[in-house]
Amino acid sequence: MLPGVEGPSDLRALDPEQLRRLADEVRVHLVESVSRTGGHLGPNLGVVELTIALHRVFDSPHDTVVFDTGHQSYVHKLLTGRQDLSTLRTRGGVAGYPSRAESEHDVVENSHASTSLSWADGIARARTLTGEGDRCTVAVVGDGALTGGMAWEALNNIAAAQDRPLVIVVNDNERSYAPTIGGLAHHLSTLRATRGYERFLDWGKQALQRVGTPGRLAYDTLHGMKKGLKDIVAPQGMFEDLGLKYLGPVDGHDLEALERAMTIAKDFGGPVIVHALTTKGHGYAPALADVADQFHAVGVIDPVTGQPVAAGGAPKRASWTSVFADEVLAVARERDDLVGVTAAMLIPVGLHKMAEAMPERVVDVGIAEQHATTSAAGMAFAGLHPVVALYATFLNRAFDQVLLDVALHRAGVTFVLDRAGITGPDGPSHHGVWDMALLQHVPGLRLAAPRDGTRLREELREAVGVDDAPTVVRFPKGAAPEDVPALERLGGTGSWGAPDVLARTGEAPDGSSSTGSARDVLVVAVGGLAGLGLDVARRLEPHGVGATVVDPRWVLPVHPALVAACAEHRLVVVVEDGLRTGGVGSRLRDELADAGVRVDVRCVGVPVRFVDHAERAEVLEELGMTGQDVVRDVLGRVAALDEERERAGARSGTTGG
C-alpha cells in the first residue's frame, strides 16, 4: 500500500481494510529504516493512525498542519512523498524534523516544544484577515508539550477567537521524553462538543433570559449544576473555562474514531481540542518493553530485537552525561542542600541516578525551562543549591530568567548544559552553539567548559561551591575523551578558575628554542576542543612554529593569568565549540584591549548561521574547524607577522642610518 501513497490525496481513495494494511506497512518501514540510521522511533510508531486520519480529513497544504516539537513527523514525511528514509538525519539527507526545504507540507522547523499553538494562532489569525477563512489550521501537540507555559499563553488567545477554524490535536501518550509530569496529566478529559449541543445551549439561554431576571437566575443555576456534574464525572473544567470545545478522549489507534472526531472538529468552524490517546512505540514489542522512554530516540539497532548494534574497535568510553550523573549523585550525598532540577529530560541530562537514590531532591518541572530557572532562584533564596540540568540549546528559552531572576539576585544556582556545541544529526535547532555567546552578557556569571571527564567532576564541584552567583558547566554530546593531564596550572593551584597548560612545542627541555618558539602562538582550546588545540600545536611544529596550548577551564570570568599568557605570545588562537561572534574569543579580545595588551586574536568557532544536520565531524569540517584548516590559517598569519616585523626592522635601520 505504501508505495502507492505519493501524497495525502491518495489516502482518501483507500477503504478501511487498506488503511489498516497501510498502517502496518508504515510501522514496518519505520522500524527497518530508523534501525539503520538512528532517530526518533517510539514517537512515530505511536502516531501512525493519527497521522493517516489527519491527512484524510484535512487537505494539506491548503489546510496548514503544524507539528509541535516535530520529532513525530516521520509518518507525515512518508505520507507526503518522502518514503526513502535511508538518508534520515545524514548529511544532505532527510531531516529528522519538518523542513520547508523538503516539502510544502512542512511548516515549522523549530523542534523546541510548546510552540505549535502560537504558530497556529498566528496562522489562523492571518487567514481570517486575508480572507482565507476556509483554510483550517491544525496544531498537533503532545501532552508533554502542554506542560510548557507558552502553550497556555497561546490557548488563552485561541479561545478568545471563536470564529477561527483551528483544531488542536492533543497526542496524549502520557509521556514527553519520559512520563509526563504535573497536574495537566490529571485534567485531560471527556467533554464532547458538537454544533447541535451548542445550539441547544444557546436556545435554552435565550428562552430563559426572555423571562427576565428569574429566567437569568434559572439559567445561571442550571448551567452551574451542569458544569458541577461534569466536573464530578470528568475533571475537564479548565478547557471549558477557557472556552475551548473538546472532543474525546479518542482511541489514537482507531482510524475510524479518529476520522470521526477530526471531521466534527473541522466542521465546527471554531477552536476545538481533539484528545487522542496513543501509545508510544505502538506495534513494536521492543519499544513497548523499554520502560525508560519506549525508544524515544535510538541509535543503530537490530530491527528484530531492538538491541543496539555494537560498534567495532576500541571499548566504548563513558559518555559525558554518565560522568555527570555519577558525580552529581556523589556531591548530593555529601551536601544535603543540593537539589536537581530538570525540564522533562531526567534521563537525557543525567539526573536519573540522583532521582532514584533521593527522589525528594530531584524536581521535574515539565517542558518549562523558564519556570525551572526562576523556581531554582527561589530555592537558592530559601537555602538550597539547585543544579538545573538542561540541553544547551534549551537554555536559550530561559535567558531572561538567568539574567534577571538568577544573576540580578546573585542566586547560587548551577546550570549544567548537556549537548553543548555541534551535536550533529538533530540539526539547526539542536546544535548547542548559542549558550557561551549569550551568557557572556550576564553580570557575575561563571562559565566552565571541561575538556575531559576528570575536569567535569572537578569543575562541577567548583561550580556548586559558589553560592553568590550563577555558575554554568557545559559539555558536548557523546563519549568523553581520554583525560588530558596538565603540564601546569597558570596562576598556581590555589587560584580559583585558573587555566591549565596542556602542551608546549618548539621548546627544548631546558627552555631553549628547538623549532621556533613556544611563544609564537598561544592556542586557547575551549572545553571539548582541547584535542583540536593539541592537534594544531603538533601540526605547527614541523613548520618551525612553536605553540603553547592552554585550557582556560573557566571561560568566565577571564582569569588574569590567561591575559598575562596572551601578552607573552605573538598570536592568540581561540578554538571554541560555539558562536565565534560574541563568544569566548571575542570576550578575551575585549579583556586584552582593556588591559592594554596588543596581540592579534584569531577566533575559530561557529559562524552566525543555522547549521544543517550531519555527523559532528562532518559539520566541523564544513565549518573549517579541523586541525588542517586552523594550521593553514595560523601559518598565513604568522608569515604576515614575520613580514611586518621585517618591515619594521628595515624602517628602524633606515632611521638609525
Side-chain angles (χ1 to χ4, degrees):
M1 301 305 305
L2 184 56
V5 179
E6 297 180 356
S9 60
D10 294 325
L11 295 171
R12 299 179 195 117
L14 304 181
D15 62 36
E17 178 56 31
Q18 290 174 317
L19 290 171
R20 281 190 285 273
R21 286 169 50 199
L22 174 64
D24 291 341
E25 289 183 22
V26 167
R27 283 196 170 86
V28 171
H29 189 65
L30 285 172
V31 171
E32 290 179 345
S33 298
V34 179
S35 65
R36 296 191 187 102
T37 63
H40 291 95
L41 182 56
N44 285 282
L45 293 171
V47 297
V48 174
E49 290 83 5
L50 188 152
T51 310
I52 292 172
L54 192 73
H55 280 303
R56 277 174 56 86
V57 173
F58 299 99
D59 183 19
S60 176
H62 178 77
D63 294 329
T64 303
V65 181
V66 177
F67 288 92
D68 202 292
T69 311
H71 59 234
Q72 79 284 40
S73 63
Y74 297 2
V75 184
H76 162 77
K77 288 174 185 272
L78 293 176
L79 302 180
T80 53
R82 289 163 284 176
Q83 294 184 8
D84 182 4
L85 298 183
S86 62
T87 62
L88 181 68
R89 292 163 28 105
T90 61
R91 187 176 189 176
V94 178
Y97 296 92
S99 169
R100 290 183 181 181
E102 289 181 6
S103 173
E104 62 181 343
H105 297 280
D106 291 7
V107 177
V108 179
E109 301 183 8
N110 177 9
S111 58
H112 288 193
S114 310
T115 64
S116 65
L117 301 187
S118 295
W119 273 97
D121 175 62
I123 293 168
R125 189 182 300 269
R127 300 284 192 229
T128 300
L129 291 174
T130 57
E132 297 181 290
D134 64 320
R135 301 179 68 178
C136 193
T137 305
V138 186
V140 182
V141 58
D143 57 303
L146 284 179
T147 63
M150 188 174 173
W152 291 92
E153 294 172 25
L155 281 172
N156 184 53
N157 280 268
I158 290 169
Q162 292 295 316
D163 60 337
R164 290 189 202 132
L166 195 159
V167 176
I168 300 167
V169 178
V170 177
N171 171 31
D172 182 4
N173 58 23
E174 298 184 325
R175 308 178 76 88
S176 44
Y177 182 97
T180 303
I181 300 297
L184 175 68
H186 304 293
H187 287 279
L188 294 172
S189 59
T190 58
L191 177 64
R192 297 181 179 274
T194 65
R195 275 298 187 189
Y197 174 68
E198 292 303 310
R199 284 197 297 270
F200 174 77
L201 285 183
D202 288 342
W203 171 83
K205 181 177 181 179
Q206 293 167 8
L208 287 170
Q209 289 188 342
R210 280 196 295 270
V211 182
T213 301
R216 285 193 295 273
L217 291 172
Y219 173 80
D220 290 343
T221 301
L222 290 171
H223 186 74
M225 288 175 62
K226 171 185 73 75
K227 184 178 184 303
L229 288 170
K230 285 190 298 188
D231 285 348
I232 292 171
V233 176
Q236 48 67 47
M238 65 178 165
F239 290 122
E240 184 179 69
D241 290 343
L242 279 171
L244 292 165
K245 308 309 172 192
Y246 174 97
L247 290 166
V250 181
D251 182 348
H253 303 294
D254 184 331
L255 270 165
E256 293 180 3
L258 284 166
E259 283 192 41
R260 218 165 26 243
M262 290 185 188
T263 301
I264 294 171
K266 182 178 182 179
D267 293 343
F268 185 76
V272 183
I273 288 180
V274 176
H275 181 193
L277 302 179
T278 63
T279 302
K280 199 171 183 178
H282 186 79
Y284 185 45
L288 295 175
D290 181 27
V291 177
D293 63 10
Q294 294 178 329
F295 281 19
H296 177 86
V298 297
V300 178
I301 60 172
D302 182 323
V304 176
T305 66
Q307 293 298 309
V309 175
K316 186 176 179 181
R317 297 190 58 82
S319 69
W320 288 96
T321 308
S322 65
V323 174
F324 164 70
D326 291 337
E327 192 64 17
V328 74
L329 175 58
V331 177
R333 284 176 169 150
E334 298 167 14
R335 289 184 48 168
D336 292 338
D337 64 332
L338 196 94
V339 292
V341 182
T342 177
M345 302 290 278
L346 188 70
I347 298 173
V349 298
L351 281 176
H352 56 295
K353 291 186 177 181
M354 182 178 170
E356 291 167 3
M358 43 192 76
E360 72 286 354
R361 289 170 56 188
V362 175
V363 182
D364 185 345
V365 300
I367 301 177
E369 291 84 1
Q370 292 171 290
H371 166 58
T373 301
T374 301
S375 178
M379 294 180 202
F381 170 75
L384 299 178
H385 190 106
V387 175
V388 182
L390 307 168
Y391 279 11
T393 183
F394 296 140
L395 183 74
N396 305 352
R397 315 182 87 180
F399 176 75
D400 181 68
Q401 287 69 33
V402 172
L403 179 68
L404 297 179
D405 290 328
V406 178
L408 177 63
H409 296 89
R410 301 181 63 84
V413 177
T414 295
F415 296 90
V416 174
L417 305 183
D418 203 322
R419 272 69 163 177
I422 296 296
T423 56
D426 282 333
S429 62
H430 270 53
H431 292 308
V433 299
W434 319 99
D435 57 307
M436 290 196 292
L438 284 172
L439 295 172
Q440 299 290 333
H441 306 287
V442 179
L445 182 138
R446 307 184 192 191
L447 171 60
R451 65 181 180 268
D452 54 36
T454 295
R455 257 44 65 173
L456 170 53
R457 294 184 180 93
E458 179 182 274
E459 290 161 31
L460 176 64
R461 287 179 175 272
E462 292 173 353
V464 298
V466 177
D467 286 324
D468 60 352
T471 53
V472 179
V473 180
R474 53 108 64 184
F475 49 80
K477 180 181 180 180
E482 291 187 13
D483 283 357
V484 181
L487 300 180
E488 65 175 292
R489 180 155 294 178
L490 297 178
T493 56
S495 179
W496 196 97
D500 282 342
V501 177
L502 305 185
R504 289 191 179 93
T505 62
E507 185 174 273
D510 61 359
S512 61
S513 176
S514 55
T515 58
S517 167
R519 299 188 187 279
D520 284 339
V521 180
L522 178 69
V523 180
V524 180
V526 176
L529 293 187
L532 174 60
L534 293 170
D535 184 42
V536 168
R538 284 192 294 268
R539 289 172 179 268
L540 285 173
E541 193 168 16
H543 296 278
V545 177
T548 300
V549 182
V550 172
D551 169 17
R553 296 180 63 255
W554 287 86
V555 299
L556 286 176
V558 176
H559 198 278
L562 182 58
V563 174
C566 290
E568 296 173 351
H569 289 77
R570 300 174 61 203
L571 174 66
V572 176
V573 179
V574 181
V575 291
E576 56 187 297
D577 201 0
L579 296 183
R580 65 170 179 245
T581 301
V584 177
S586 295
R587 178 61 174 265
L588 180 58
R589 185 187 288 125
D590 292 343
E591 296 278 345
L592 292 172
D594 290 345
V597 176
R598 298 184 62 184
V599 61
D600 186 16
V601 178
R602 165 66 172 144
C603 300
V604 179
V606 180
V608 182
R609 68 177 176 86
F610 294 110
V611 180
D612 288 336
H613 62 279
E615 290 300 322
R616 175 179 164 86
E618 293 174 329
V619 175
L620 294 177
E621 180 181 11
E622 178 189 339
L623 298 179
M625 296 176 63
T626 67
Q628 186 175 5
D629 293 318
V630 176
V631 166
R632 186 183 302 115
D633 179 71
V634 168
L635 290 176
R637 289 173 183 270
V638 169
L641 290 172
D642 288 341
E643 291 176 8
E644 176 62 28
R645 183 165 58 183
E646 289 175 5
R647 286 195 296 269
R651 287 194 298 270
S652 176
T654 301
T655 302

